[in-house]
Amino acid sequence: MDWIIPAAVIVGLLAVSTALGLIWRARQGAPAVVTPGSSAPRRENDTVDLDELGAGGAPHAPHQGTRATLVQFSTAYCSSCPATRRVLSGISEGSADVAYLDVDVTERGDLIRRFRILQTPTVLVLDRHGEVRTRFGGAVRPAAVRTALEGIR
Amino acid sequence: MIDPRAPRFTAGITAVLLLVTIALSFAATVAAWVLLLALALLFLWGATAGVKRHPFGLLFRAAIRPRLAPPTELEDPKPPTFAQLVGFIVTGAGVLLALLGVPYAVTVAASLAFVAAFLNSVFGYCIGCQLYLLLARFRRSAGTPAAGA
């Protein structure tokens, strides 16, 4: 039967693509919680100095939140960055002790390598010492960010 | 700025045409090659002239958008334009490799492009956005002095 192989290829492609899409969508905005003082070996990107994020010509020095700082990494080639920008700046404006910083890494290969950014937006939730407490890959959900902030004092 | 549904509509039509290409590639190889060439040229047009002037984008604006509610937000045309370039590279490679006699070049290239177009259209996944980050890793950063300087 001549049509069996083409039909199998097409059905297979549809199945694989749908599975990939469902996995990708389920993992969008999934938080990775970093436990402070855990026995896991510490990496060099556990603590973030906000000044280094602005290197390359930020107009003004970024300020750190007295409780937490939300750092968003974006590029010009990012379709879901504006939505995440709205969510995070809204949360920051609603709480006096949470700062928000959007870092455009379109031209910053150094930051992409240092923070191992594989998708945009990538969001880091820092505590007041600049330590990374939670990392989000992909478009974030407001409730997940609020939960991450609740754990930080 | 563009309606974000336009590139997803474009990707949807492209995905269907890529499936037709895949089906033809088993029976009518010349027709499949011609169709893949046409899709590669459409990708090239989208990447160079801009997604706003892509034929399927124009079709969306003329026939589909008037029937829909206004978009809740607009999107930068850069990501879908970059995606068109990625699509051109993949389908263009298939067209060339098929000319050189590589077996199944049309089928494989159309399949890869189909997965990307399908994910873009159905799930809103942007493969160009992710590939850009992989490429930008090798870019010297704006804040770093040039080597040897």
Side-chain angles (χ1 to χ4, degrees):
Chain A
M1 295 277 223
D2 285 347
W3 53 270
I4 284 183
I5 290 172
V9 168
I10 286 169
V11 170
L13 277 171
L14 283 168
V16 168
S17 314
T18 304
L20 284 174
L22 290 173
I23 292 168
W24 173 76
R25 192 156 70 184
R27 290 183 55 176
Q28 275 294 287
V33 179
V34 183
T35 316
S38 65
S39 55
R42 296 192 61 75
R43 294 207 309 248
E44 85 284 1
N45 58 354
D46 283 348
T47 307
V48 180
D49 176 8
L50 293 192
D51 288 333
E52 70 181 314
L53 301 180
H60 51 83
H63 80 281
Q64 192 147 1
T66 51
R67 178 160 66 102
T69 307
L70 304 168
V71 176
Q72 174 181 347
F73 294 112
S74 310
T75 65
Y77 304 96
C78 172
S79 49
S80 53
C81 286
T84 293
R85 197 171 294 140
R86 264 201 310 281
V87 168
L88 297 184
S89 58
I91 289 173
S92 169
E93 279 158 21
S95 43
D97 51 4
V98 177
Y100 167 60
L101 177 65
D102 186 17
V103 183
D104 184 356
V105 296
T106 308
E107 307 282 338
R108 295 294 304 272
D110 58 330
L111 293 179
I112 293 171
R113 288 188 296 271
R114 164 142 152 59
F115 294 101
R116 299 181 181 88
I117 302 168
L118 292 173
Q119 58 178 332
T120 46
T122 287
V123 174
L124 304 178
V125 182
L126 310 180
D127 63 18
R128 62 198 159 90
H129 306 294
E131 258 185 65
V132 180
R133 300 289 291 269
T134 306
R135 178 180 171 124
F136 292 96
V140 298
R141 284 179 278 267
V145 179
R146 293 213 168 83
T147 306
L149 286 171
E150 274 167 19
I152 300 175
R153 284 287 164 263
Chain B
M1 301 301 269
I2 55 166
D3 188 329
R5 294 167 297 188
R8 289 179 69 166
F9 173 80
T10 301
I13 297 188
T14 307
V16 170
L17 290 175
L18 284 165
L19 270 193
V20 174
T21 308
I22 293 162
L24 285 176
S25 72
F26 291 96
T29 49
V30 175
W33 184 84
V34 171
L35 186 51
L36 192 66
L37 175 66
L39 287 169
L41 292 174
L42 277 173
F43 277 128
L44 181 62
W45 175 254
T48 52
V51 283
K52 278 184 182 172
R53 277 181 274 177
H54 192 287
F56 302 159
L58 295 174
L59 177 65
F60 174 83
R61 262 191 288 172
I64 311 292
R65 190 170 168 176
R67 294 158 202 270
L68 300 178
T72 51
E73 61 182 274
L74 295 175
E75 187 185 65
D76 195 308
K78 271 185 199 166
T81 306
F82 187 68
Q84 292 281 312
L85 179 64
V86 175
F88 169 68
I89 292 168
V90 171
T91 50
V95 167
L96 277 182
L97 290 174
L99 268 188
L100 297 173
V102 176
Y104 298 109
V106 169
T107 314
V108 171
S111 299
L112 291 173
F114 168 77
V115 173
F118 177 89
L119 289 175
N120 186 196
S121 179
V122 177
F123 293 95
Y125 171 75
C126 167
I127 195 164
C129 304
Q130 208 141 8
L131 284 178
Y132 177 80
L133 285 171
L134 293 178
L135 297 174
R137 282 183 159 239
F138 304 105
R139 181 190 272 265
R140 205 170 38 232
S141 68
T144 313

